[in-house]
Amino acid sequence: MISLPRDTYAKIPGVKGIYKLNASIDCGGGWPTESGFEKVCEAASWMLGEMPIQYYFAVDMGTVKKLVDKVGGIDFEIAFDFTQQGRSYKSGKQHLDGQAVLDYLRVRKNIGSHSGDLNRVNRQKEVLVKIFEKVKQTGDIFSLPEMLDSFEGNYYTNTTLAQTAGLAAFLYNVNSDHIAMHSMDGRYHNIFNWRFVITDQNKRVKLIEEIYGIEVPRYTAYTEERAVFLWESM
């Protein structure tokens, strides 16, 4: 799993201007539109050196909550005390229902060294693996396509039911210990009157080669030096 930070200073293919990566869905038509999801795929493909991304599964936060409740919750070790919308949680291992999981996935402020979107993304991947393990354990993985279809209005994909079923069958034999988790590395910088994550292009190239075994070019126009130069020239 590779997470691409939402605040990344990125090119949105076919669109002129200065954007964060998460603006790609609005550039394509917004949520929830097929053109919006396709533009996200194009932007993610650009981040990965033009590697084709043909399919998508798009979910909102409500889907996560419903899925966790559907499988009876998950056992998970919360790393810190936090409060989200008036609901308070203590650190430690505990059984979490859908609302608790959703709160843990969303919190990113006032939690000390755990604060920030980059840390939150890593926690989200850990929780996704736990949900995956629970879906396998309960046997619900084989009814996953039908289960997701029941979340109408919260879940979108351009795969067929047969393709989703095939993916579920494949996942049944995947050991969660073999799921590698990566993040496209970068650091925050105040430019263009906003906080952007500037991708470390050397690490980006190395990460793609490590995972996929292909060489991709550095995006020199999106390095910190070029971004700062463009901002100062404006």
Side-chain angles (χ1 to χ4, degrees):
M1 294 193 292
I2 306 176
S3 56
L4 308 176
R6 66 174 190 169
D7 292 327
T8 297
Y9 173 48
K11 175 182 177 181
I12 310 300
V15 181
K16 292 183 179 180
I18 294 169
Y19 291 98
K20 291 185 176 184
L21 184 63
N22 63 337
S24 56
I25 192 163
D26 287 328
C27 289
W31 174 281
T33 64
E34 184 175 349
S35 60
F37 298 140
E38 288 174 350
K39 187 60 70 175
V40 172
C41 290
E42 291 176 22
S45 176
W46 176 83
M47 287 287 293
L48 296 173
E50 306 296 344
M51 185 182 301
I53 298 177
Q54 298 167 288
Y55 304 105
Y56 61 80
F57 291 91
V59 300
D60 66 12
M61 289 294 187
T63 309
V64 178
K65 180 179 176 180
K66 290 178 182 178
L67 180 60
V68 172
D69 284 337
K70 198 90 169 180
V71 298
I74 62 170
D75 294 323
F76 191 81
E77 185 157 355
I78 293 179
F80 46 81
D81 298 349
F82 72 98
T83 299
Q84 182 78 346
Q85 296 185 331
R87 294 178 291 272
S88 297
Y89 302 90
K90 294 292 185 181
S91 62
K93 191 166 186 178
Q94 50 204 283
H95 188 76
L96 306 178
D97 63 8
Q99 184 63 64
V101 167
L102 184 56
D103 288 341
Y104 189 63
L105 291 179
R106 297 187 71 177
V107 66
R108 66 186 176 97
K109 296 180 179 180
N110 304 316
I111 46 176
S113 61
H114 300 282
S115 298
D117 190 58
L118 300 181
N119 286 326
R120 179 173 63 173
V121 163
N122 290 328
R123 292 196 299 274
Q124 289 172 342
K125 286 181 290 191
E126 292 171 357
V127 172
L128 283 173
V129 170
K130 284 295 182 183
I131 295 173
F132 168 67
E133 290 174 345
K134 185 62 180 288
V135 170
K136 281 184 63 176
Q137 175 190 334
T138 59
D140 287 323
I141 197 162
F142 293 111
S143 59
L144 194 59
E146 293 82 2
M147 190 188 304
L148 290 173
D149 275 346
S150 71
F151 300 153
E152 186 176 356
N154 302 105
Y155 156 77
Y156 305 88
T157 183
N158 63 346
T159 63
T160 65
L161 184 62
Q163 287 171 323
T164 306
L167 182 59
F170 167 78
L171 290 172
Y172 182 74
N173 294 310
V174 171
N175 187 325
S176 60
D177 291 335
H178 298 162
I179 299 176
M181 292 183 281
H182 306 274
S183 292
M184 193 66 76
D185 208 359
R187 74 185 190 96
Y188 275 97
H189 204 104
N190 290 313
I191 49 175
F192 312 117
N193 287 330
W194 208 257
R195 274 170 60 79
F196 284 80
V197 172
I198 307 297
T199 303
D200 184 316
Q201 290 296 326
N202 291 328
K203 290 183 178 180
R204 169 185 159 272
V205 169
K206 184 177 180 181
L207 180 66
I208 295 171
E209 184 174 12
E210 174 189 337
I211 297 171
Y212 296 107
I214 61 173
E215 293 184 14
V216 298
R218 294 172 72 252
Y219 290 147
T220 55
Y222 291 84
T223 60
E224 184 170 347
E225 294 78 14
R226 288 291 294 276
V228 170
F229 174 79
L230 177 60
W231 171 227
E232 289 177 348
S233 70
M234 296 166 63

